[in-house]
Amino acid sequence: MNHTRVTTPFGAQSTAAEIIAGVDLSGARAIVTGGASGIGLETARALAGAGAEVTIAVRDLEAGERAARDLADITGNNQILVAPLDLADQASVAAFVGGWDGPLHILVNNAGIMAPPLARTAQGWEMQFATNHLGHFALATGLHDALAAAGSARVVAVSSVGHLNGDLDFDDIHFQWRCYDRWTAYGQSKTANVLFAVEADRRWAADGIRVNALNPGRIPATNLSRHIGDVANAPTSFEPDSTAVSWKNAEQGAATSVLLAASPLVDGVGGRYFEDCVEAEPHQPGIRRGVADYALDPEAAALLWQVSLDALFEAAVPTGAVR
């Protein structure tokens, strides 16, 4: 780490509401993917409560509409919209991008899947990489001009402590030759989220767009764990452990996302990885927290960007001004 590490007064047990207190987002427009449940819902709640127009981008429109109604009742904000988005379907991403009009101030790439059995998209892409990385990559690059039009915009990539499972295998990203392992696949998709933030910030900071990644912590009983049941070994206490990823409830799990999306404490910050509302320390062996060196490698980030562009080109689905 060759820069001053960013710290804040907040920590592992801080909530999204505490982060957003006193922040006025009136006039700002935000998108939260997967915003109908879990930490996505809590992120949308915080942004809407601060006055932003929030679009919940979801596969399940019925669930999205329910969430929007509930959030409007709770926050008093009627500017909560719902739009269809299936990140594993490049045509769906293209349709969402094509339907967006006007500036975009906040994009929270929150939706994801974790550890499903092997599945592939129509392009043959491994489903976790396709959903967690390529779908969000197409969304963010397609919305670049809308983000630039905001004058000052933020993109938030929700990664995971799972990125410590390993680096990307650029020779076989989609498990065409190696044996599929669901946790290896999840880990590389989460590493890709961090690398995306590194390269997107390098490319887009001059356009007024800052991009960061984060580990939200481990949150039991959310839709993310649907392929593995309730998260094993959930603690009876949420007291922080300095050697392990922090266990949190959904309100706490959304806090770092909200910090990166809206807090003035991180104005001008980009290309970094946060956890527990501060910039993460470098990963140390035997400790299940921190950020791996390979996830911040600028050469790997640039390579992933090109690999991703090539994949979208080969998919032959226009997604807007990809750059």
Side-chain angles (χ1 to χ4, degrees), residues 156-215:
V156 180
V158 179
S159 180
S160 168
V161 70
H163 87 275
L164 298 176
N165 294 349
D167 200 353
L168 272 78
D169 183 343
F170 283 103
D171 293 326
D172 190 18
I173 287 174
H174 298 291
F175 293 85
Q176 299 287 355
W177 297 283
R178 56 182 167 148
C179 182
Y180 177 72
D181 178 88
R182 61 184 184 172
W183 292 111
T184 299
Y186 179 69
Q188 75 164 5
S189 75
K190 295 288 100 180
T191 294
N193 292 153
V194 189
L195 291 171
F196 163 77
V198 170
E199 181 66 5
D201 192 75
R202 185 188 71 80
R203 288 171 175 258
W204 295 351
D207 299 325
I209 306 167
R210 303 314 301 261
V211 189
N212 289 288
L214 69 113
N215 163 31

Side-chain angles (χ1 to χ4, degrees), residues 16 20 30-33 35 37-49 54 71 106 108 110 156 158 250-251 253-258 261:
I20 205 75
I31 295 169
V32 181
T33 68
S37 64
I39 65 172
L41 177 62
E42 295 303 324
T43 300
R45 185 199 308 271
L47 299 178
V54 179
L71 290 179
I106 299 167
V108 183
N110 166 81
V156 180
V158 179
E251 295 85 355
T256 308
S257 292
V258 172

Side-chain angles (χ1 to χ4, degrees), residues 20-288:
I20 205 75
V23 175
D24 183 5
L25 295 179
S26 301
R29 304 176 76 206
I31 295 169
V32 181
T33 68
S37 64
I39 65 172
L41 177 62
E42 295 303 324
T43 300
R45 185 199 308 271
L47 299 178
E53 174 196 287
V54 179
T55 296
I56 297 173
V58 288
R59 289 186 301 171
D60 185 341
L61 284 178
E62 185 176 339
E65 295 288 357
R66 279 198 308 272
R69 289 192 297 270
D70 290 346
L71 290 179
D73 289 343
I74 292 168
T75 66
N77 182 346
N78 292 316
Q79 299 183 96
I80 303 173
L81 311 173
V82 181
L85 177 65
D86 182 349
L87 291 162
D89 180 353
Q90 285 292 309
S92 175
V93 178
F96 183 96
V97 169
W100 186 266
D101 183 46
L104 173 62
H105 302 81
I106 299 167
L107 172 61
V108 183
N109 290 337
N110 166 81
I113 57 174
M114 181 175 70
L118 177 61
R120 299 190 184 278
T121 67
Q123 295 83 11
W125 301 336
E126 187 276 317
M127 190 61 73
Q128 293 189 82
F129 192 80
T131 302
N132 298 348
H133 170 64
L134 287 172
H136 279 129
F137 178 84
L139 180 67
T141 53
L143 291 171
H144 168 272
D145 289 352
L147 291 160
S152 178
R154 297 188 187 181
V155 179
V156 180
V158 179
S159 180
S160 168
V161 70
H163 87 275
L164 298 176
N165 294 349
D167 200 353
L168 272 78
D169 183 343
F170 283 103
D171 293 326
D172 190 18
I173 287 174
H174 298 291
F175 293 85
Q176 299 287 355
W177 297 283
R178 56 182 167 148
C179 182
Y180 177 72
D181 178 88
R182 61 184 184 172
W183 292 111
T184 299
Y186 179 69
Q188 75 164 5
S189 75
K190 295 288 100 180
T191 294
N193 292 153
V194 189
L195 291 171
F196 163 77
V198 170
E199 181 66 5
D201 192 75
R202 185 188 71 80
R203 288 171 175 258
W204 295 351
D207 299 325
I209 306 167
R210 303 314 301 261
V211 189
N212 289 288
L214 69 113
N215 163 31
R218 187 165 291 164
I219 300 92
T222 69
N223 285 344
L224 186 65
S225 61
R226 62 187 177 275
H227 293 292
I228 58 171
D230 289 342
V231 178
N233 302 315
T236 56
S237 168
F238 288 94
E239 289 299 319
D241 178 350
S242 63
T243 67
V245 62
S246 300
W247 289 84
K248 305 180 182 184
N249 59 35
E251 295 85 355
Q252 294 166 335
T256 308
S257 292
V258 172
L259 176 85
L260 296 177
S263 174
L265 295 174
V266 292
D267 280 345
V269 173
R272 307 191 196 184
Y273 174 92
F274 284 69
E275 62 187 359
D276 296 342
C277 299
V278 296
E279 185 177 357
E281 298 271 18
H283 175 245
Q284 300 297 323
I287 296 178
R288 192 68 177 167

